[in-house]
Amino acid sequence: LVVGSICGTVMHAKNAVELGGVDFVIAQGSEGGGHTGVVASSVLIPQVVDAVGDKVPVVAAGGIFDGRGLAAALCYGADGVWVGTRFLLTPEANAHQTHKDRLILGRAEDTVISRAFTGATLRVMRNKWTQHYEEHPEELGKGSKQLVKAMKEGAWLHSQIANKAVADQPFDEEIQGYAAGQCIGNIERIQPAGDIVVQMVGTAAQLLGRSQAKL
């Protein structure tokens, strides 16, 4: 069993390696969707590489959606990339269609880091639910209590997406927690996952070759 850990700070990465004994770390910048920290990828990735890259492989994440991001991550010293939001917008992704439709229409500034769904910092699409807790933080449940509240009120249906009855019902965009990275502003259509990988690797190879020629 290979074990990795998502890290939002250098301290997280060091603890995961030195205390947790993980096999690799994922350095995720704040641009990433889902649970995330506050340090941007361009700063976090090289810092984590410098801190633990001689001990375990470092995988870069957060705002990576095409070959440019892959090339940049490799230049920062990462050993690979972990791509989330881009693969959410594929036919293969087991996400509600309303979720996909909302992200395709979204812009980077339509996302917000909020504790309104799980009690932890989570980058999601801004809506009435996130706005309410932005204006009334005193109503947030502590830790997992907020997740329980969100699930009870139908704002976190993703955990039940495998249930056909849930998957077939419309999701209320104004309360549903749609995880999304800031890269949604760069994604205009649904594409098969295999096509995305081929394009990403091809573009990265071209860019790295072109950059080498400029030196």
Side-chain angles (χ1 to χ4, degrees):
L1 180 64
V2 178
V3 179
S5 177
I6 302 176
C7 307
T9 68
V10 172
M11 182 184 69
H12 291 162
K14 286 183 175 179
N15 287 343
V17 174
E18 297 168 6
L19 303 179
V22 299
D23 300 295
F24 68 98
V25 295
I26 301 168
Q28 177 171 303
S30 58
E31 303 95 322
H35 290 111
T36 194
V38 297
V39 183
S41 296
S42 59
V43 175
L44 180 66
I45 297 167
Q47 286 184 350
V48 172
V49 168
D50 290 345
V52 301
D54 60 334
K55 301 179 181 69
V56 297
V58 175
V59 177
I64 299 170
F65 62 93
D66 66 4
R68 293 173 293 183
L70 170 57
L74 295 176
C75 288
Y76 285 138
D79 297 286
V81 296
W82 191 51
V83 179
T85 300
R86 186 63 192 97
F87 286 125
L88 186 62
L89 296 172
T90 63
E92 296 92 340
N94 186 27
H96 197 279
Q97 189 58 46
T98 310
H99 189 170
K100 295 182 182 183
D101 293 342
R102 181 70 181 86
L103 266 58
I104 285 291
L105 297 174
R107 303 165 299 175
E109 57 268 31
D110 293 331
T111 69
V112 62
I113 295 179
S114 174
R115 295 181 183 272
F117 295 100
T118 67
T121 52
L122 183 82
R123 185 176 289 285
V124 294
M125 297 299 292
R126 187 187 300 274
N127 58 18
K128 288 182 180 179
W129 183 275
T130 62
Q131 190 64 35
H132 174 81
Y133 285 102
E134 236 178 74
E135 297 171 358
H136 304 281
E138 72 282 359
E139 295 182 16
L140 283 167
K142 291 186 178 180
S144 60
K145 289 183 178 179
Q146 185 62 28
L147 174 59
V148 173
K149 182 190 295 187
M151 292 181 72
K152 282 184 176 178
E153 297 189 32
W156 194 251
L157 292 174
H158 307 290
S159 60
Q160 306 170 54
I161 196 69
N163 183 332
K164 192 174 187 302
V166 173
D168 289 345
Q169 68 176 285
F171 279 15
D172 184 348
E173 293 185 23
E174 290 303 331
I175 69 167
Q176 194 59 218
Y178 288 152
Q182 288 183 308
C183 67
I184 57 171
N186 300 85
I187 304 170
E188 299 179 345
R189 61 194 177 97
I190 303 289
Q191 275 186 279
D195 292 353
I196 293 171
V197 172
V198 170
Q199 292 171 8
M200 186 176 289
V201 173
T203 299
Q206 289 179 0
L207 290 173
L208 291 171
R210 191 186 308 165
S211 298
Q212 186 176 17
K214 292 180 179 179
L215 294 175

